[in-house]
Amino acid sequence: MTDALPIPVTSRRDQIVAGVRDSFAAGLGMYPIGIAFGLLVVQSGLPWWMAPGLSIAGFAGSLELLVVGLAAAATPLATIALTTFLVNFRHVFYAFSFPLHVVRGRGARVYSMYALIDEAWAVAAATPEKWTGPRLLSMQLAYQAYWVSGGLTGVLVAGLMPGPVEGLEFALCALFVTLTLDAARSRREVPTMLLAALSFAGGLAVAPDDALFVAMLAFVALLAVRHLATVRLRPAGDARA
């Protein structure tokens, strides 16, 4: 993922163009995953409109892929709601360092909060001093355009294919594997990965049939404990998060 553009931007048009350019690195990867999402919706026996519907009602790629599998399996709404909460709970922490203050207008701010996905936060956090409202919003709009258009492309491709694609449901797993490998490049994230592995192992041991939900609950609890321990051990005067 590349950093935000280092060149100065002054006019509103330049800021919008810069925001779209900032979206290219991650956005070009979102489009093909969106195609897989659209294909998965149709192959799961769900109506085609669920692809754009989910991408507009709840813009969160990993969650949308997960919801498709849950919906196809006729999972109870309470379970889907709990899954949604646990998967997207990380966005609460994103808000602490996301430059929402540069966005002007209530409607624009509401959209920026709604479109706060992993990719937008990562790019914005890389160069926090570069952002203006138009630049930030254009980047987020571009990300959603990649995802929605990818899903619609997948729906169209599914209608032209003579049969289903075997193993397409692995797209979600592949996405999380990619994110995990990317996180593994930083030694700072090694403790987090170990906590995740410990949570999943505990989930399998305690409740094999509901290992994922137990693991996610345990992971959130362990992260909270780790945060509190870090704050207490931090030297006085150290303001780092």
Side-chain angles (χ1 to χ4, degrees):
M1 183 179 298
T2 58
D3 291 342
L5 293 177
I7 61 173
V9 288
T10 53
S11 72
R12 186 180 183 87
R13 180 181 179 278
D14 287 343
Q15 294 171 34
I16 292 173
V17 171
V20 173
R21 288 180 179 175
D22 293 335
S23 73
F24 284 166
L28 294 178
M30 291 176 66
Y31 181 75
I33 298 178
I35 294 177
F37 169 64
L39 284 167
L40 185 61
V41 167
V42 176
Q43 287 193 183
S44 299
L46 301 173
W48 70 269
W49 50 262
M50 279 199 68
L54 284 174
S55 299
I56 295 173
F59 178 34
S62 58
L63 175 64
E64 291 174 51
L65 285 162
L66 187 58
V67 167
V68 168
L70 295 175
T75 305
L77 287 177
T79 302
I80 295 178
L82 176 61
T83 302
T84 300
F85 172 76
L86 292 174
V87 171
N88 280 352
F89 186 71
R90 66 190 186 279
H91 291 187
V92 173
F93 302 99
Y94 286 173
F96 295 146
S97 55
F98 192 69
L100 185 64
H101 62 279
V102 303
V103 180
R104 300 289 181 263
R106 181 177 299 178
R109 284 198 169 197
V110 169
Y111 176 78
S112 187
M113 290 186 288
Y114 151 81
L116 177 49
I117 60 174
D118 298 343
E119 291 80 3
W121 176 83
V123 174
T127 51
E129 72 283 356
K130 299 291 184 181
W131 299 100
T132 62
R135 185 170 186 169
L136 188 67
L137 287 172
S138 62
M139 178 185 69
Q140 292 181 278
L141 282 165
Y143 281 143
Q144 188 163 25
Y146 299 140
W147 183 252
V148 174
S149 60
L152 289 172
T153 302
V155 167
L156 292 174
V157 171
L160 299 175
M161 296 181 63
V165 177
E166 296 295 333
L168 189 60
E169 61 277 3
F170 187 71
L172 178 60
C173 183
L175 173 62
F176 281 115
V177 168
T178 301
L179 293 174
T180 302
L181 291 175
D182 188 57
R185 297 177 182 177
S186 172
R187 292 183 179 180
R188 182 179 179 183
E189 297 303 325
V190 170
T192 301
M193 295 176 61
L194 292 176
L195 290 178
L198 179 62
S199 300
F200 186 67
L204 287 175
V206 174
D209 294 335
D210 298 297
L212 181 59
F213 298 110
V214 173
M216 286 192 292
L217 289 171
F219 187 50
V220 171
L222 289 173
L223 287 178
V225 171
R226 179 192 174 196
H227 173 71
L228 292 174
T230 302
V231 170
R232 291 183 178 182
L233 294 174
R234 185 180 301 149
D238 190 344
R240 291 177 299 176

